[in-house]
Amino acid sequence: MTAVSEQSRQAQPAPRRVRRLAVLGDSTAVGLGDPVPGRGWRGVGPFVASALGVGPDGYLNLAFTGARMRCVRDTQLPAALAHAPDVVVVIVGMNDTLRSDFDPAALAADLEHVVTALAAAGAVVVPVRYHDHGRVFRLPGPLYRALKDRIEALNGGIDQVVARHEVPCLDLAAVPGAYELSAWSVDRLHPSELGHRLLARGLTEVLARRGIELVEPVSLVCSGGVRPRTVDHLAWLVVKGIPWLWRRGRDLVPHAARILLESAREGRRARRFAAEPEVAPGAEAGPVR
């Protein structure tokens, strides 16, 4: 029994060491929500690079704020391929759900192109599927339902690509503490330092299960970042939060209106059905003689 166990261990391939890492995506991938004094944003990318043992020369973050899925395909992908990464983290899609031209089929096609190109170049690609962000940002009822509907559609497309290519994927809704306020920055749109650390730990654990060497686990002890004060929360709400909700709310309003209309129709049908008299099986309509 001991000899068999020893042979099994020897037959297992050694974990793959990562030399080059690329991060693609939007403002979360940039690191917004985890400011570092004098150095701008830090966030998930550097945490993942450190855990995988990737040095500064091997790390490339191509993400930019406001990026959508098509931006990753058209702008970020070519530079990523030129970097020849061993691992690529892709965090994108949420900005698309907040636009009036939301098209889940087109998003899935763009992600398919990105994953296919990177996998063909020998990279392990790790996209993310999204959590119910309306629970974090506290949107009004109709807008919350509209956003949730779109996130589910986005996740459906991501799931199809992941299954087709059998790539690892991190489900953000399954990350411990994903819905805790401490995991979110003052804007409740981007992870806090703790949130970025949780995201990085989830990504590296997914990679480790796929045979990638993990040099050291991502620490969840916050250090080196700027901790927001209560006044920062209030200032963001007044200066940026309300204007953002107004802009994105206008994009979601038509979809929210359709959801409300469909809900009203279903309610009328249900009430009409409940008001109809029941007829016993086998009974015939008409007066009883």
Side-chain angles (χ1 to χ4, degrees):
M1 186 69 176
T2 303
V4 173
S5 299
E6 182 63 29
Q7 290 176 356
S8 298
R9 283 196 295 270
Q10 292 176 353
Q12 294 177 352
R16 177 183 174 186
R17 181 65 186 271
V18 175
R19 304 292 181 184
R20 304 178 76 79
L21 167 69
V23 176
L24 313 182
D26 55 24
S27 53
T28 294
V30 169
L32 262 68
D34 180 26
V36 179
R39 290 189 288 142
W41 306 107
R42 179 179 50 179
V44 60
F47 294 142
V48 171
S50 178
L52 298 180
V54 176
D57 292 341
Y59 173 64
L60 179 65
N61 192 327
L62 295 162
F64 54 84
T65 59
R68 301 174 65 177
M69 192 75 75
R70 180 50 64 97
C71 300
V72 170
R73 172 176 178 164
D74 293 347
T75 305
Q76 300 178 22
L77 175 61
L81 291 171
H83 183 62
D86 302 303
V87 168
V88 181
V89 172
V90 182
I91 306 173
V92 71
M94 188 60 73
N95 286 327
D96 291 279
T97 66
L98 300 170
R99 298 299 192 274
S100 56
D101 60 352
F102 176 71
D103 184 346
L107 298 180
D110 287 339
L111 181 61
E112 175 92 21
H113 178 85
V114 170
V115 171
T116 300
L118 290 169
V124 177
V125 188
V126 190
V128 302
R129 72 189 310 278
Y130 285 90
H131 57 294
D132 180 3
H133 197 75
R135 288 175 54 183
V136 177
F137 196 72
R138 309 290 186 184
L139 289 171
L143 294 181
Y144 165 74
R145 292 167 61 189
L147 179 58
K148 184 178 181 181
D149 182 65
R150 287 188 170 185
I151 291 174
E152 289 175 353
L154 170 65
N155 283 339
I158 293 171
D159 290 342
Q160 291 175 9
V161 175
V162 167
R164 191 154 43 241
H165 293 272
E166 297 183 341
V167 296
C169 179
L170 177 64
D171 184 354
L172 298 184
V175 173
Y179 293 108
E180 299 294 331
L181 287 182
S182 59
W184 296 95
S185 66
V186 294
D187 61 12
R188 295 195 184 182
L189 296 173
H190 303 97
S192 61
E193 178 185 346
L194 175 60
H196 277 284
R197 289 179 179 273
L198 288 169
L199 177 55
R201 173 172 282 194
L203 288 165
T204 53
E205 289 175 347
V206 166
L207 285 166
R209 290 195 291 270
R210 284 301 184 97
I212 298 297
E213 181 179 2
L214 188 60
V215 175
E216 61 179 1
V218 177
S219 173
L220 299 184
V221 177
C222 294
S223 63
V226 177
R227 300 201 174 189
R229 304 160 298 171
T230 300
V231 67
D232 297 323
H233 286 263
L234 295 175
W236 181 88
L237 179 64
V238 173
V239 176
K240 294 185 178 180
I242 293 174
W244 180 91
L245 181 58
W246 171 250
R247 291 194 304 271
R248 294 287 72 82
R250 285 185 299 173
D251 283 340
L252 284 173
V253 160
H255 185 60
R258 284 195 296 272
I259 290 177
L260 288 175
L261 181 59
E262 291 171 3
S263 177
R265 288 173 177 168
E266 290 174 2
R268 286 196 297 270
R269 283 196 295 268
R271 289 192 296 271
R272 190 163 54 244
F273 178 79
E276 292 178 356
E278 293 186 5
V279 179
E284 295 181 357
V288 178
R289 298 184 183 277

